[in-house]
Amino acid sequence: MRTCGACLLAAFMLASAPCLADEIVLWHSYRGQEKEAIETLVGRWNAGHPDAQVIVLAVPHGAYPGKLTSAIPRGQGPDLFIFAHERIADWVRMGLVADITHDLPDELRGACGVTVDGRTYGVPLAHKTLALFYNTDMIDTPPSTTDEMVDLAAKLRDPASDTYGLVYETGSFYHHAAWLFGFGGRLFHEDGSPALDDPANEASLEFVFDLTVRDLVPAEPTAALVTLLFNEDRAAMVVNGPWFIGEIEDEVRYSVAPLPVVNSTGLPATPLLTVESAIVSSRARNRKGAVALALFLSQDGAATRMHEGGQVVTGTQAWTDGARIPAVLLGFRKQVDRARLTPASPLMRSMWEPASRALRSVLRGSATPGRALAEAQRQVLIATRPPPLPRDPWPYLAGLGLVLAGMAAIWWWRRRRERLIARVIESRHAYAWVLPTGLALFVLVFIPFLVGTAVAFTSHRDGQFTFVGLANFANILLARDYAVTDPLGFWFTLAVTVCWTAINVVCHLGIGLALAMVLREPWLRLRGVYRVLFIVPWAVPNYITALIWKGMFHSQFGAINGLLELLGIEPVSWFSGFWTAFAANVTTNTWLGFPFMMVVCLGALQAIPHELEEAAEMDGASGWARFGRIVLPLIRPALVPAVVLGSVWTFNMFNIIYLVSGGEPDGATEILISEAYRWAFSRQEQYGYAAAYAVLIFVALYFYARFTRRLTSGLEDADA
């Protein structure tokens, strides 16, 4: 028996181990044909290396960097991972990646994009950049200059069939960077400081604004819309990257060419270039195998990645057989020579959000290029400001200890008077039953809450947390970064959040209660069918619903504006103004939230005896009188907790804000939880600042709960 137990314990320990020493864990974020190509290569490797098997994990792209920075220091990350080059300098400073200079052949040492301070930290695999896709049935020769491109776009524009000569994501700064460099603009000064407000950048914004005003490009184009128009032969030219190849239908005939030369400057449109590389973790359990696998993917696997994965591979050997190389990849190869390596500066990560926001402000006509770029520059400087000065944690810990000791003493004194300890001992068997649940709550709720609160007193830079005391709270509450009336400031966002919560809860309760009142009537036929249909919005995952409503609110192709046009009403650009964007968010969340209130109200209404209402009706009470004097007081005990719960859900409804309006215009429709997300993941990973936001959200909801509790007690006393 003991032997059996020992075997079971050993088996459990082996199963729970992250991986064996001779295994290689590979992470990537590929999809589609790129994923299939990498899996083919891994299968080939595993067949030839039985002693060094590769375990592959596909990680969602948005969560990829965060998972790496949290997993590698704890020894739970990959041995080898595939990622773009621009984060390597950060990871070198954080000690997350291994120096493999001496493990590489001479031709790979000092490779572009993966070398920091003369040391090489990765093996280049593929180039990713933008180029010009064009439909060969609509265009014989691609344009060589921007004037030719604009003239061709104007010639092919057909409003009747919604056909465009040129389509791309005009609101994406990544796509816009090609025009910015083509017009002589820049992102950084010579000293490495941000240069978004450089006067040369304004011309590129004016160029895109002119395309929009002349209706030569779609309004608010998304990646899905670009794909749809190109596949339906309603877009002659598209600016996109090699990942777009896998989204094009087989029947579409197309080719790829470099982006045109800007006539006013004589410079080619120069998109940003990223070098996708295989990078070895500093905590790799099988470092030698990880380096060998990286070289295998780069060299032996180059042809497979090119032909099956559609990648613009970095090695030269795969490009020697020109007859077999797809023409579209040759077009990208030419564009690579006219692309600019994405800066690896940490400041670059803080530029995307404000630069894209400035671009969208110009496109909707709410700001001039100069004003929009100046505001973007200000936002970048705020996001990259020096961290607060370090503080000595001991006075804070001493104060916390005194507070906890005082609270414990008061608790003990009160409970001793109430003989609570004796009652707990008497009911120890009952408490033993709830102990597992209590432990689970302690581990899953209480400990993360304490850790998150502790992070709020720190500043995070390059993977290091520094104790800064109350500095984060002071910066937020005293509006040191953004003014009280600034849409990106805490107080403005708090006001928007409160307004958002109040309006949504009123809509949820009003619609839910009205539908419940109708559905309880015995004269209504098919009540069961209606109940199921009305619950469907609540049953569908909210992020799917948000994306559907986002498409319905599209200014040009959305169903909402389509209905308005049928009614003879001018279409609305929903995300160009605060109130229209706010209304779009509220409408989406109302659709999601009313079923919950309907179910609660319906259950409470069914518990009311019909005799009470019938007696009131016989006494001459009107319908409104019966509702106000009988129905509402009787369902109030069920409504109050439902309203409180719905308020908390709505207060923190991140998905709707993030997916529908995206905070537009200019961050004015952000709520506290989405703003905390921005500080954590879009602005230099300021986790301490974001945690401070989270603590303030908790405090606001705590006092709201206390208020509703007192209000409920008062109502119960009044009823008594």
Side-chain angles (χ1 to χ4, degrees):
M1 192 69 174
R2 290 180 181 177
T3 305
C4 246
C7 292
L8 288 173
L9 179 61
F12 172 78
M13 293 177 65
L14 288 173
S16 61
C19 69
L20 299 176
D22 55 351
E23 290 178 340
I24 305 170
V25 178
L26 171 66
W27 286 12
H28 67 84
S29 60
Y30 289 141
R31 296 181 300 173
Q33 59 183 11
E34 288 185 308
K35 180 181 179 182
E36 294 175 2
I38 206 71
E39 289 176 348
T40 298
L41 290 174
V42 167
R44 191 186 307 169
W45 168 278
N46 286 340
H49 300 79
D51 56 337
Q53 296 289 286
V54 176
I55 301 174
V56 183
L57 177 64
V59 181
H61 182 75
Y64 203 166
K67 288 185 177 294
L68 288 171
T69 55
S70 61
I72 291 178
R74 293 162 180 79
Q76 302 298 319
D79 298 293
L80 182 72
F81 61 94
I82 301 174
F83 202 82
H85 77 280
E86 60 259 30
R87 298 294 296 270
I88 289 182
D90 290 345
W91 291 332
V92 169
R93 284 192 294 272
M94 297 167 63
L96 300 182
V97 295
D99 176 6
I100 57 173
T101 306
H102 299 294
D103 300 310
L104 302 177
D106 294 340
E107 63 270 17
L108 291 178
R109 295 179 185 177
C112 181
V114 294
T115 300
V116 179
D117 297 331
R119 316 299 296 176
T120 305
Y121 294 89
V123 178
L125 298 179
H127 289 129
K128 294 291 179 67
T129 191
L130 299 175
L132 186 69
F133 288 77
Y134 63 97
N135 188 314
T136 55
D137 291 332
M138 304 173 70
I139 297 177
D140 294 327
T141 305
S144 59
T145 66
T146 52
D147 285 352
E148 292 180 11
M149 182 185 73
V150 172
D151 291 342
L152 192 57
K155 178 181 177 181
L156 295 172
R157 175 71 176 106
D158 182 11
S161 61
D162 281 326
T163 299
Y164 289 87
L166 176 64
V167 175
Y168 72 99
E169 295 179 62
T170 52
S172 165
F173 187 72
Y174 175 74
H175 288 74
H176 179 76
W179 309 125
L180 183 141
F181 294 129
F183 277 89
R186 56 180 175 173
L187 299 177
F188 295 97
H189 293 293
E190 287 74 11
D191 60 357
S193 60
L196 283 179
D197 58 350
D198 191 292
N201 295 341
E202 298 180 22
S204 65
L205 293 178
E206 293 171 354
F207 169 74
V208 182
F209 178 69
D210 181 67
L211 293 177
T212 305
V213 170
R214 295 173 59 185
D215 193 32
L216 299 182
V217 293
E220 301 174 9
T222 62
L225 179 61
V226 171
T227 303
L228 175 68
L229 293 177
F230 196 71
N231 283 332
E232 294 183 352
D233 291 334
R234 289 193 288 158
M237 295 177 287
V238 165
V239 179
N240 221 322
W243 52 86
F244 185 58
I245 297 173
E247 301 174 1
I248 301 175
E249 300 291 346
D250 295 337
E251 59 269 18
V252 178
R253 299 172 60 187
Y254 69 96
S255 188
V256 175
L259 294 173
V261 173
V262 177
N263 288 83
S264 60
T265 63
L267 300 174
T270 308
L272 291 170
L273 173 71
T274 56
V275 181
E276 216 157 45
S277 308
I279 306 167
V280 179
S281 165
S282 60
R283 298 291 187 92
R285 292 162 290 269
N286 188 351
R287 174 192 169 103
K288 183 178 179 181
V291 173
L293 176 61
L295 293 173
F296 170 79
L297 295 176
S298 173
Q299 299 173 350
D300 297 344
T304 300
R305 290 186 292 108
M306 173 188 288
H307 295 287
E308 298 183 18
Q311 290 189 342
V312 185
V313 298
T314 56
T316 58
Q317 184 176 359
W319 296 95
T320 55
D321 189 3
R324 295 187 55 199
I325 299 173
V328 293
L329 295 185
L330 289 174
F332 272 108
R333 181 70 183 275
K334 296 176 182 178
Q335 183 65 76
V336 166
D337 297 332
R338 292 165 56 170
R340 182 172 300 191
L341 191 67
T342 302
S345 168
L347 298 179
M348 190 66 200
R349 297 202 312 277
S350 298
M351 280 191 170
W352 297 114
E353 179 191 352
S356 296
R357 189 170 286 158
L359 176 59
R360 292 191 292 266
S361 297
V362 172
L363 292 179
R364 61 173 172 263
S366 61
T368 63
R371 179 183 172 187
L373 289 172
E375 176 61 22
Q377 177 79 359
R378 183 178 74 94
Q379 293 176 17
V380 172
L381 294 177
I382 290 174
T384 58
R385 69 203 183 294
L389 295 175
R391 295 284 189 272
D392 184 2
W394 291 111
Y396 292 87
L397 292 175
L400 177 63
L402 291 175
V403 170
L404 292 177
M407 293 174 61
I410 294 172
W411 180 86
W412 178 265
W413 179 71
R414 288 183 176 179
R415 298 304 178 263
R416 186 177 180 183
R417 289 183 57 189
E418 298 170 3
R419 300 183 59 82
L420 179 63
I421 306 300
R423 292 203 300 271
V424 170
I425 295 175
E426 293 174 0
S427 307
R428 59 185 178 276
H429 296 294
Y431 282 102
W433 282 105
V434 300
L435 180 61
T437 303
L439 290 176
L441 288 174
F442 180 79
V443 173
L444 299 177
V445 177
F446 191 66
I447 291 180
F449 173 77
L450 289 180
V451 173
T453 303
V455 171
F457 295 89
T458 67
S459 174
H460 177 265
R461 286 292 190 278
D462 296 332
Q464 300 295 322
F465 289 91
T466 304
F467 185 82
V468 296
L470 297 172
N472 290 327
F473 295 97
N475 290 339
I476 294 172
L477 297 176
L478 299 179
R480 291 175 178 172
D481 294 319
Y482 291 101
V484 172
T485 57
D486 194 302
L488 298 181
F490 171 80
W491 295 107
F492 184 95
T493 307
L494 176 62
V496 171
T497 306
V498 172
C499 183
W500 152 264
T501 304
I503 293 175
N504 272 285
V505 171
V506 169
C507 292
H508 294 168
L509 182 59
I511 296 174
L513 181 56
L515 290 174
M517 293 289 291
V518 173
L519 290 174
R520 75 164 183 157
E521 294 296 333
W523 52 263
L524 182 67
R525 296 182 178 180
L526 301 176
R527 285 184 296 173
V529 175
Y530 294 138
R531 290 175 183 177
V532 172
L533 292 177
F534 285 133
I535 290 176
V536 167
W538 191 34
V540 176
N542 58 22
Y543 68 90
I544 295 177
T545 301
L547 292 174
I548 293 173
W549 279 94
K550 170 78 170 180
M552 292 173 64
F553 280 113
H554 192 277
S555 61
Q556 189 170 0
F557 298 95
I560 304 295
N561 278 350
L563 291 175
L564 294 179
E565 289 180 343
L566 289 176
L567 298 174
I569 302 175
E570 190 73 18
V572 177
S573 181
W574 290 97
F575 304 112
S576 295
F578 171 78
W579 289 112
T580 52
F582 187 80
N585 288 336
V586 169
T587 302
T588 305
N589 199 56
T590 298
W591 172 262
L592 282 169
F594 81 83
F596 170 73
M597 290 297 181
M598 183 194 72
V599 171
V600 172
C601 294
L602 194 59
L605 288 171
Q606 290 176 340
I608 299 176
H610 287 285
E611 292 80 4
L612 292 177
E613 295 183 74
E614 292 174 356
E617 184 178 7
M618 293 179 64
D619 290 339
S622 65
W624 284 108
R626 295 196 303 273
F627 176 77
R629 298 295 181 88
I630 297 176
V631 175
L632 195 57
L634 290 176
I635 67 174
R636 188 164 54 200
L639 286 184
V640 172
V643 168
V644 173
L645 188 58
S647 300
V648 173
W649 285 346
T650 305
F651 199 90
N652 287 325
M653 183 53 73
F654 170 82
N655 284 354
I656 302 304
I657 302 298
Y658 185 78
L659 295 175
V660 178
S661 73
E664 292 295 322
D666 301 326
T669 56
E670 299 279 9
I671 60 175
L672 290 177
I673 190 66
S674 63
E675 189 66 13
Y677 173 86
R678 304 286 184 190
W679 283 107
F681 300 107
S682 300
R683 303 168 189 167
Q684 294 290 96
E685 297 178 346
Q686 300 189 47
Y687 297 135
Y689 206 86
Y693 258 84
V695 170
L696 293 174
I697 292 172
F698 169 78
V699 171
L701 291 176
Y702 172 79
F703 282 107
Y704 171 74
R706 296 275 298 187
F707 168 76
T708 54
R709 182 179 178 183
R710 291 197 175 190
L711 180 63
T712 306
S713 301
L715 292 174
E716 291 175 351
D717 294 340
D719 292 339

